Amino acid sequence: TWTAPVGIYPTEVFPAGLQYQVTYRTLQNLSDVQTQTTNETILQINLSQNDVYIYSIAASIFNSNFGQTAVSTFATGTEDTTATTINSTAITVSFRQLQYCSADVTVQYDLAYAGVELDTTVRNVVFNITNQTTSGGSCEPQSVDLTGLEEYVNYMISLSVTITELGVNDLLIAEVMNETFQAVSAAPQNLTSENITSTSFCVTFIPPTNNTQNGQITSYTVTYQGELFNTTEYNITVSVNTVVYPLTESSSVCISDLEEYNNYTVLIRANNGAGEGDAATIT
């Protein structure tokens, strides 16, 4: 899909609109294929798996000469990439190589990964593959183990390639998330209110039970809303700096600058590296 060039005359001046010329080829087959369309989208089927396509698109009015081209490069076959949990701190990433494994080129793969909510610093594993094929001539499947990860955290993983000999640089070919671990499966417990004034109060609570935390609790989301007036919903996040198992210590959050003499409903949810858990409520 694409958008029309900026500054094109409106359709009331040129009711026929624009015509687009789409040219594409793969890095393996350098013969151009051309097609024309009046839509700003084109459906491509029966493409080669695990290949790199180069597209150029140009526009014209009333079948005049086509203007400057816009170029885009992408790879097919990303559905073959998987991320499988080995244990609570390790993941195996498996993928199928691009179709250039038997060519006289070096394909550099860059696997970038970062945790969701926890361990969010992006790390990279970079490696080269040259002429690795099976006995039948097909490309060898590949796998990489990511170890030393944060416990019980889901990771977003992207895979890019650079093929210097073919002019491909840092091309994204796959994105996948390891979604083995679950969010907290229960609500915080024993909510009580204290230190109540006309414009503030505190709420104390303890975490969900250990067997429902599904990993390390990293923060609590506190939502509060007035019942009688000023019913705007507010959210604050309370960080957990140090977690000690079993986590049974009481936590407290204080909310101030409230409307005088209003009733408030408070919801508290625990968060871990996989997401947000159920809410506990107090009024």
Side-chain angles (χ1 to χ4, degrees):
T1 61
W2 57 91
T3 57
V6 176
I8 291 299
Y9 292 105
T11 54
E12 40 289 6
V13 179
F14 291 106
L18 293 173
Q19 187 174 41
Y20 296 97
Q21 179 171 279
V22 180
T23 304
Y24 64 95
R25 60 181 172 84
T26 72
L27 290 181
Q28 292 196 111
N29 182 0
L30 299 181
S31 299
D32 287 341
V33 178
Q34 284 191 343
T35 185
Q36 293 186 0
T37 177
T38 56
N39 299 317
E40 291 168 0
T41 182
I42 185 171
L43 174 64
Q44 295 283 260
I45 60 175
N46 298 324
L47 299 179
S48 299
Q49 286 188 334
N50 301 93
D51 209 343
V52 178
Y53 280 79
I54 301 173
Y55 274 74
S56 61
I57 302 171
S60 73
I61 300 176
F62 274 148
N63 295 319
S64 62
N65 293 331
F66 285 95
Q68 295 181 348
T69 59
V71 179
S72 180
T73 305
F74 70 91
T76 56
T78 58
E79 71 277 2
D80 297 320
T81 302
T82 60
T84 306
T85 297
I86 301 174
N87 55 46
S88 62
T89 61
I91 297 170
T92 293
V93 180
S94 302
F95 63 95
R96 186 185 299 177
Q97 293 184 64
L98 295 180
Q99 291 193 22
Y100 306 100
C101 55
S102 60
D104 189 21
V105 297
T106 297
V107 182
Q108 177 180 282
Y109 289 88
D110 184 348
L111 192 154
Y113 60 100
V116 180
E117 294 193 18
L118 267 180
D119 195 19
T120 56
T121 300
V122 178
R123 287 175 279 177
N124 297 76
V125 177
V126 180
F127 51 94
N128 294 330
I129 298 177
T130 303
N131 197 22
Q132 290 191 14
T133 58
T134 64
S135 57
S138 59
C139 295
E140 287 274 11
Q142 299 292 322
S143 63
V144 177
D145 290 344
L146 305 180
T147 59
L149 305 178
E150 191 77 35
E151 274 201 309
Y152 306 109
V153 173
N154 293 328
Y155 281 80
M156 176 63 75
I157 300 157
S158 63
L159 186 63
S160 302
V161 296
T162 294
I163 313 174
T164 303
E165 295 94 331
L166 299 179
V168 175
N169 184 49
D170 198 25
L171 174 64
L172 179 67
I173 65 171
E175 283 187 312
V176 64
M177 181 184 288
N178 172 63
E179 297 182 291
T180 299
F181 303 114
Q182 299 177 343
V184 181
S185 54
Q189 309 172 84
N190 300 354
L191 272 64
T192 58
S193 57
E194 57 185 29
N195 300 331
I196 300 174
T197 72
S198 62
T199 59
S200 67
F201 59 82
C202 298
V203 176
T204 61
F205 56 92
I206 64 173
T209 56
N210 287 347
N211 62 347
T212 63
Q213 293 178 17
N214 301 326
Q216 177 176 308
I217 292 179
T218 58
S219 64
Y220 292 92
T221 300
V222 180
T223 302
Y224 61 97
Q225 184 177 28
E227 292 186 349
L228 304 180
F229 43 86
N230 188 19
T231 57
T232 302
E233 185 176 277
Y234 297 94
N235 290 282
I236 58 176
T237 299
V238 180
S239 298
V240 176
N241 295 321
T242 304
V243 178
V244 180
Y245 290 96
L247 182 59
T248 57
E249 292 83 356
S250 175
S251 298
S252 179
V253 57
C254 294
I255 302 170
S256 58
D257 298 325
L258 302 173
E259 291 283 347
E260 280 194 312
Y261 309 113
N262 197 1
N263 292 336
Y264 281 86
T265 296
V266 181
L267 289 78
I268 301 179
R269 298 176 175 86
N271 306 309
N272 63 11
E276 189 176 73
D278 297 333
T281 304
I282 188 172
T283 300

